[in-house]
Amino acid sequence: MDMTQVLDDLGVGNDSLTEEKKNELDERGYTVLPGLIGDKWLAALRERFEDLCDKEGLAAGTEVHQESGTRRLADLVNKGEDFDRVYTNPTVLAAIHHVIGRDFKLSSLNARDALPGEGHQKLHTDWSNDYDGRFHVANSIWLLDDFTEDNGCTRLVPGTHRGQQPSSVLKDAMASHPKEEHLVASAGTVAVFNSHIWHGGTRNRTKDSKRRALHCYFAARGHDQQLNQREYIRYETWKRISRAARHILDVELG
C-alpha cells in the first residue's frame, strides 16, 4: 500500500484538519485538539492504564525505558483493542502527515504519569540533530487526565522546531524558558506537536493528582522506530487490525 491509500482507508480526508490547525503546526510547532477522546473511550483507557500498571509492576515500561518519579507503560499496540484507535485516529494522522510531509510509521505508543513531586524534564526534542530543512518526527499527547499548571503539564517553546537543539543554545535546559507555553487542557484533549520543538514535562506539584497521558509518536519511514514493531507485534494484534493499520505499524508481510 502507498500512504495515500493508507490514509484514505483510515478516513483521513482533505477536511480532517482545518487550515487553522495546519497553520499552528507550521508556525508554532504544535496544535491542540479538544474533545478528541469520547467519555466512554476515555474511561476505558484510564481503566486499562491502571490495570497494566498493576499487572506489570516494576517491569512496566521496560520495552522502551523507565523514568524515575513516573509511571511508564510501553508497547501499548499489543496491550488492548482500546489502543487501536489511538494510532489510527484520522485527525491525528492528518496532523502527523502535515508535519512529516511524506510516508511515515508509528515509532512507539507509550504512556506516562508524573507522580506527585516528580516529573520535571529538561527542554528537549525527539530528534537528535538540528533542523535540516525537513521534519522527521511528530508526536501526540493524549490527555487521560486534566493537565493543569500544578500537576505536571507539558511545556513547549513555540517556533523552536526550525532551529538548533536546546542543549546547543541553553545554559540550563531544566530552567523555565521565557517563551515557553504550558499545555493546560481538559482530559480527552489531544495535542499534536512537531517533535523538533523544544518541550518537556513539568513537576507535579500536587499531593495526589494523576497526570496520565499516552504518547503516540511517529517517524518518517526509513528511520528506526523507538520500539521495533515487527519484533514485538503479537499475532493476535496483527490479525485483528486492518491492512492500513499494519502499514502504519510497518508490520506488513510481503
Side-chain angles (χ1 to χ4, degrees), residues 171-245:
K171 291 183 179 179
D172 182 6
M174 293 292 286
S176 296
H177 190 281
K179 295 183 179 180
E180 73 180 36
E181 296 181 357
H182 289 186
L183 177 58
V184 174
S186 300
T189 297
V190 177
V192 179
F193 61 96
N194 183 320
S195 291
H196 297 249
I197 195 174
W198 300 359
H199 65 279
T202 60
R203 189 176 311 282
N204 184 344
R205 300 195 302 267
T206 71
K207 293 183 178 180
D208 56 8
S209 291
K210 291 183 172 64
R211 180 254 186 231
R212 295 166 293 185
L214 307 181
H215 296 171
C216 189
Y217 173 50
F218 297 85
R221 223 165 189 85
H223 295 311
D224 291 340
Q225 294 165 308
Q226 188 178 48
L227 184 74
N228 189 318
Q229 302 297 327
R230 292 192 182 194
E231 288 185 5
Y232 278 84
I233 194 72
R234 301 175 188 174
Y235 176 69
E236 59 266 28
T237 303
W238 188 91
K239 186 176 180 180
R240 180 181 70 238
I241 63 178
S242 67
R243 187 181 175 197

Side-chain angles (χ1 to χ4, degrees), residues 71-101:
R71 296 192 297 171
R72 283 273 193 173
L73 295 170
D75 188 28
L76 296 181
V77 164
N78 288 305
K79 296 181 180 178
E81 292 185 37
D82 289 317
F83 298 114
D84 294 353
R85 289 188 287 159
V86 174
Y87 64 90
T88 60
N89 180 272
T91 306
V92 171
L93 290 179
I96 299 298
H97 189 245
H98 182 76
V99 171
I100 295 177

Side-chain angles (χ1 to χ4, degrees), residues 99-100 102 125 127-137 160-165 194-197 220 223:
V99 171
I100 295 177
R102 57 200 189 278
T125 73
W127 186 249
S128 57
N129 300 314
D130 294 341
Y131 175 60
D132 62 6
R134 302 188 82 180
F135 298 123
H136 302 272
V137 286
T160 52
H161 53 298
R162 298 181 185 274
Q164 295 177 279
Q165 290 290 305
N194 183 320
S195 291
H196 297 249
I197 195 174
H223 295 311

Side-chain angles (χ1 to χ4, degrees), residues 18-46:
T18 66
E19 290 301 316
E20 178 187 9
K21 298 301 181 184
K22 292 176 183 178
N23 289 336
E24 288 176 351
L25 287 167
D26 291 341
E27 300 302 322
R28 299 171 59 75
Y30 78 98
T31 192
V32 179
L33 307 168
L36 211 61
I37 313 171
D39 291 344
K40 184 176 180 180
W41 188 21
L42 178 62
L45 290 171
R46 286 171 169 169

Side-chain angles (χ1 to χ4, degrees), residues 137-154:
V137 286
N139 210 336
S140 58
I141 305 178
W142 296 61
L143 279 60
L144 304 190
D145 296 298
D146 293 345
F147 272 28
T148 71
E149 288 287 357
D150 294 325
N151 75 347
C153 67
T154 302

